[in-house]
Amino acid sequence: CVLTVSNCVLMPESDREESHWAIYRGSSAVSPSFSTHSRQKTWNHSMCLACMDQPATPGEHEFHVATNAGSFNSRFVVSPEKQPRHLLAVVFPAFQASWVEDDEPQVVEPGIWRDIEGLYEVVTTLPGDRVLVICTLRYVASWASEQNRGRFTINRDEYGLDGPHSRSLQ
């Protein structure tokens, strides 16, 4: 299994920006399409892509990141202030890697924290073991303001890993 993670900073050049990103192995996309949408010209946005790939054949595989602007009226700059961009690929033996995929829509109403259905994994560890957890999901806001965004956290044993009062703003 190959875990690939890429991150970079992008800056829209127009007031209506959209971008689409994917990780490729050779000429085939191995990740879902990651997208950004913005109406805030010249604001920097961080983009992080992650996927787990299991090539059918052993050997040397080339991974790369590809992007497009979504429309002819949309433009953006990658690393506008020379910010570093990264692509990481780590090989794990298949028995040490575990992942969950789900594509069912789920409506999340305002209010209390809710689990995302289908996104849970039980891992057995030994003392001193470390576990790497990466979660990617696509969400669509049902409100009118871009200032209101979803908040997400990863829990271990029902405790948020980013602290009891801090939740990741997406």
Side-chain angles (χ1 to χ4, degrees):
C1 294
V2 181
L3 169 66
T4 55
V5 180
S6 178
N7 73 317
C8 69
V9 173
L10 66 110
M11 181 183 69
E13 287 192 343
S14 66
D15 289 330
R16 297 183 84 70
E17 175 270 333
E18 73 176 275
S19 66
H20 305 280
W21 303 74
I23 297 175
Y24 281 75
R25 177 174 22 93
S27 61
S28 300
V30 294
S31 76
S33 176
F34 295 82
S35 301
T36 66
H37 300 274
S38 176
R39 294 187 184 140
Q40 298 153 335
K41 183 178 179 179
T42 69
W43 279 30
N44 287 344
H45 300 271
S46 294
M47 190 69 201
C48 183
L49 300 82
C51 80
M52 192 67 126
D53 182 40
Q54 194 166 14
T57 59
E60 189 173 293
H61 299 281
E62 179 182 311
F63 291 89
H64 64 276
V65 177
T67 185
N68 72 45
S71 72
F72 292 112
N73 298 329
S74 183
R75 293 176 49 147
F76 61 91
V77 178
V78 177
S79 301
E81 297 164 5
K82 296 190 177 186
Q83 298 95 333
R85 48 189 181 248
H86 306 93
L87 175 61
L88 164 77
V90 181
V91 177
F92 293 100
F95 69 90
Q96 289 184 334
S98 176
W99 69 90
V100 177
E101 291 183 58
D102 192 15
D103 60 359
E104 289 299 315
Q106 177 181 344
V107 175
V108 178
E109 300 291 338
I112 64 170
W113 286 91
R114 291 176 177 77
D115 291 339
I116 303 296
E117 296 170 12
L119 282 184
Y120 61 89
E121 187 68 26
V122 176
V123 178
T124 303
T125 61
L126 298 172
D129 282 355
R130 297 185 183 263
V131 177
L132 173 65
V133 177
I134 297 175
C135 179
T136 61
L137 57 93
R138 179 177 182 209
Y139 76 97
V140 177
S142 297
W143 43 75
S145 171
E146 279 193 26
Q147 300 303 314
N148 297 320
R149 297 182 179 177
R151 289 186 173 268
F152 305 93
T153 191
I154 295 175
N155 290 327
R156 179 182 60 220
D157 301 329
E158 303 202 16
Y159 182 76
L161 295 181
D162 49 3
H165 302 293
S166 175
R167 300 293 188 234
S168 301
L169 176 62
Q170 305 298 320

